[in-house]
Amino acid sequence: KAIELKPRETRYLNMKGLFLLTRQHYDAAAQVFTKALGVDPKFSKALNNRGLVSLALNKFEAAASDFQTAIQVEPKYVDAYNNLGFAWYQAGEYDDALKAFNQSLELNPTYLNAFNNRGMLYLKTEKLQLAVADFSKAIELESGNIKHYQSRMAAYRAMGRDDLAKADEDKARWLIGLAQIDTKIRQAPDSPQSYIQRASHLAEGGHSDIALATFQKALELAPGN
């Protein structure tokens, strides 16, 4: 409706394209982004997002072309550098991918996705110490993400450090268990048993403060428990 009222408003076209992209309607999304670029060929967000459509369709060179154009328009576009690196990584152009990831991290030294993606590149190219360092940084930035522990576990295993790999495997398993309990709570938010289970799980993981608060929530739901 917004586009109907303002058919040349590139922001609205970009939003519609993003929605279609998240729903995996790739051809329709690409058409909308292209329409936005017909209005403003230097609309960097639409260039980046059309590149994401090409990535989803495994059209890596087309994706890289859009990301590069977005960077030419907006030289400090951090996401576009990271996405360019991922496109080159998927295409097997590892040197170009590394340059793009490095540039992304120069612009934003705490950019989580770039650390994760560069870590995957280092793992693929068997630069295992560097992979561990990047996955460790990703864990530091987002300690609750299961995939970071699983990725570092793979790097440790490739290094022959089974003890460290086992520790990451245990952490990932603990996080999976926590996610399963949280799903139960979302499905039945008034059930004290799920909160009791969550609190016990948190205590086992060494998160005593959160465990106590969660036990308190269970007692609010069932004071006599």
Side-chain angles (χ1 to χ4, degrees):
K1 182 64 177 178
I3 292 169
E4 180 183 323
L5 294 169
K6 290 190 175 184
R8 293 180 61 81
E9 182 60 65
T10 55
R11 290 181 303 136
Y12 300 161
L13 290 165
N14 186 58
M15 289 175 188
K16 181 179 179 180
L18 277 173
F19 177 79
L20 291 166
L21 174 58
T22 61
R23 299 295 90 194
Q24 299 180 359
H25 298 301
Y26 298 128
D27 290 341
Q31 289 174 9
V32 176
F33 292 134
T34 299
K35 187 174 182 179
L37 291 165
V39 177
D40 180 3
K42 294 185 177 182
F43 188 19
S44 59
K45 287 184 173 59
L47 285 163
N48 179 73
N49 293 334
R50 191 174 67 177
L52 292 176
V53 173
S54 295
L55 265 185
L57 296 172
N58 296 329
K59 298 178 179 178
F60 304 125
E61 290 187 4
S65 177
D66 271 345
F67 297 140
Q68 287 171 320
T69 305
I71 290 166
Q72 290 171 4
V73 173
E74 189 177 340
K76 294 186 178 181
Y77 197 165
V78 177
D79 288 342
Y81 276 109
N82 177 61
N83 293 334
L84 175 61
F86 191 74
W88 286 135
Y89 169 71
Q90 293 288 4
E93 301 291 343
Y94 299 138
D95 290 341
D96 288 334
L98 181 59
K99 290 176 184 176
F101 291 140
N102 287 343
Q103 184 62 48
S104 179
L105 287 166
E106 282 183 24
L107 292 168
N108 182 359
T110 60
Y111 190 20
L112 173 65
N113 287 338
F115 277 114
N116 178 72
N117 290 337
R118 193 176 67 176
M120 296 303 297
L121 172 61
Y122 284 142
L123 181 60
K124 183 74 173 180
T125 55
E126 299 184 348
K127 297 177 181 178
L128 301 176
Q129 291 282 6
L130 292 173
V132 165
D134 274 356
F135 293 138
S136 296
K137 184 63 178 181
I139 289 169
E140 178 186 327
L141 293 168
E142 190 182 32
S143 61
N145 193 315
I146 297 165
K147 72 177 182 180
H148 300 326
Y149 292 96
Q150 292 172 329
S151 297
R152 192 172 68 175
M153 176 185 70
Y156 278 139
R157 284 216 170 117
M159 294 170 66
R161 295 300 308 271
D162 292 339
D163 53 335
L164 297 174
K166 179 64 166 56
D168 278 347
E169 183 179 18
D170 291 343
K171 181 66 175 181
R173 188 179 295 113
W174 182 87
L175 287 168
I176 291 169
L178 183 63
Q180 291 170 341
I181 296 168
D182 287 344
T183 298
K184 290 181 182 179
I185 290 174
R186 284 193 296 272
Q187 292 171 344
D190 295 328
S191 171
Q193 291 303 321
S194 295
Y195 287 98
I196 293 170
Q197 185 181 4
R198 187 179 200 274
S200 299
H201 192 76
L202 287 164
E204 290 171 5
H207 300 280
S208 56
D209 290 344
I210 307 174
L212 286 169
T214 308
F215 277 127
Q216 180 61 35
K217 176 63 177 179
L219 287 168
E220 290 171 5
L221 293 169
N225 190 308

